[in-house]
Structure formats: C-alpha cells, structure tokens
Amino acid sequence: METPIEHKFFDSNIHRRQGMLEEHIENSDQSGLSAPTFSLIEFNLSGLCNRTCVFCPRSNPEIFPNLNEHIPVELYENIMKQLAEFGYDGLIVYSGFGEPLLYKQIDVLIKITKTHCPEARIECNTDGDFVTPEKLRVLFEAGLDALLISMYDGPEQVEEFKQIIAEAGLESDQVILRPRWLPPEEHYGITLNNRSGMVEIPDIGITKLASPIKRRCFYPSYQVFVDYDGSVLICPNDWGKKLIAGNLHRNTVNEIWNGRIMKRVRLNLANADRNFAPCDNCDVDGTLIGERHFNEWMEFYKRDGT
C-alpha cells in the first residue's frame, strides 16, 4: 500500500497545469519518436533570488546561497533548436530555484523560444517584486503567454497588481495572481513539501523523513528540469541537486530524457521505491500530475522488454 499524503492546501494551478499537460500528451504526434515525449520543460535561469521564504531552502543561505550565475544564451538557444527538431509544442516554464525576472535577458530567451518553437507555450513564475507595467509589456511583446505572480505580502497586493496589469494593457488571463500570504497552518497557500529534505517547519508537519515513503511519483515521466549550468535534474524538488541525469553542454535533451538514469528512476518510482537520493528524503505527492505520461512510459517499457 502506498503512503497517504495529506494536503493542507491544494493549489488551483495544479488542476490548470494538469489539464494542459494531459491535453498535450493526448494530442502529441509520437511518430518518429523512440519513446514517449515530455510535456513540460522547466528552466532555472540563474542562481539568484531576492527573497528568503521560510518554506524554501534559501531561508538558510548556508544551505542554499545566492550565486550570481546564469544560463548562457547560446546554450538556451541550442536547447530550443533541439526541441524544434521534433516540433515541440508543450509547456516551457521559467521557475526553478530562483527569481526568473532577475535574469536580465529573459526577453531574449522568450524571443528565441518563439523563433524555434513557435507553438510552445511559455510561462514564467515570479514573486512580483520586479513587475511593472513596462516590464509586462516587454515580456508579452517578446512572446510570453502567461505570468504567474506569487503574492507573499498580503491581500492588498491583488488590487496593486490588477492596476499594473490594466496599465500594461493586458487581459486578466495573461497574468495569474496566486495568494501566498496565508498563515502557516494553511501552508502559506502552497501545496508544500520538504524540498527533498532541505526544509523543516516542524510546527506544520514539514520535516525530514525518518525513512523513505512508499509512494509512486510521476515527475520524471512528464517533465525535464534544466539548471542554469546545463545540468538536467530528475525533478524540480531536488533542491540539493543530488541526482543529475546529464548535462546539456555534453548531451542532447533526448539523450538524457531517454537515458539510463531517467529509466532507472522511472522504474523505481513505478514500484513506489524511493530508496535513493534525493527521493529517499522527499515527501512530495508526485501523483497529482502526469498519470497519462507515466502510463505511456510503463507501456513503452513493457513493449521494450524492460
């Protein structure tokens, strides 16, 4: 029996993203592909963030310090060219472990994406601290499809951002406002996890694990996570960067996605086996999104004789 996981807050964005990814995999042209494709590629653009939230490893700079390091534009464009080879039209997200709007050339990356993968949807998560009408105009004129703003300071931010959105001439569905000011007992308005054991908030039940939980996880079946140095992690919850599936300075996206490490991780997690880093310390419920992708991989491995 799999370990149950309690959700004190359920982010509505989970349902939104689930619908988008399920629609993508259903409509994806798999012809010419050697294995099931991914529907989301997430980029951690830099080693910087301007906040130190209590539910984030950055709350302890000794554990997760700010690093003034960034993904090279040349590497990013090479990745987009690889995606273009099979007509990638899924979701591309700027989020990861930092604040994407601290990446000074983010509009350049958006334009590159739309040049090589015009059908892909580009979304960006932000804490909102650098959002101005002019910044919004630059981002959306470059080709951004949606900006998700996490509001940490209080409900008064709703009207502040609505005014900025209106001044920028944008529609309400282009900028999604997410309340993150809720009290600790409501998990701050986030579907929280312990960030693979790197966050402890004992008062609300966020702790390190005494032993690995027995539960499947679908993350490696539907998502690619790219760090600013080109490393591909198996999951966006691996804040400790303990398991790297490859590096895009040396390998292609497809080589890593279809490679030995990702295969081993998928099969372990299919058996609810988290007895390996970083999964052994992770309490995330990885079954909320991606079941269709997971099932396709299991069918593929069955046909492949794995």
Side-chain angles (χ1 to χ4, degrees), residues 115-143:
T115 296
H116 296 289
C117 301
E119 300 303 317
R121 178 178 174 84
I122 309 172
E123 295 190 352
C124 178
N125 295 343
T126 178
D127 58 28
D129 290 353
F130 304 100
V131 171
T132 64
E134 177 58 26
K135 188 67 173 180
L136 289 180
R137 282 191 285 266
V138 168
L139 293 173
F140 282 92
E141 286 173 6

Side-chain angles (χ1 to χ4, degrees), residues 199-217:
V199 171
E200 292 189 82
I201 317 175
D203 290 347
I204 58 173
I206 303 299
T207 62
K208 292 184 178 180
L209 301 177
S211 60
I213 64 173
K214 187 174 178 58
R215 191 170 184 84
R216 296 181 301 167
C217 181

Side-chain angles (χ1 to χ4, degrees), residues 5-56:
I5 294 177
E6 178 186 4
H7 301 291
K8 292 189 177 180
F9 182 90
F10 196 82
D11 190 341
S12 60
N13 188 55
I14 292 173
H15 284 310
R16 186 185 74 91
R17 181 166 288 181
Q18 179 186 34
M20 294 168 60
L21 300 190
E22 290 293 323
E23 181 180 1
H24 176 257
I25 194 67
E26 183 175 345
N27 296 329
S28 288
D29 180 8
Q30 301 286 316
S31 60
L33 297 179
S34 59
T37 189
F38 46 90
S39 291
L40 189 163
I41 180 166
E42 180 175 345
F43 288 89
N44 183 48
L45 298 180
S46 81
L48 297 175
C49 190
N50 58 298
R51 292 203 174 214
T52 52
C53 301
V54 66
F55 46 79
C56 172

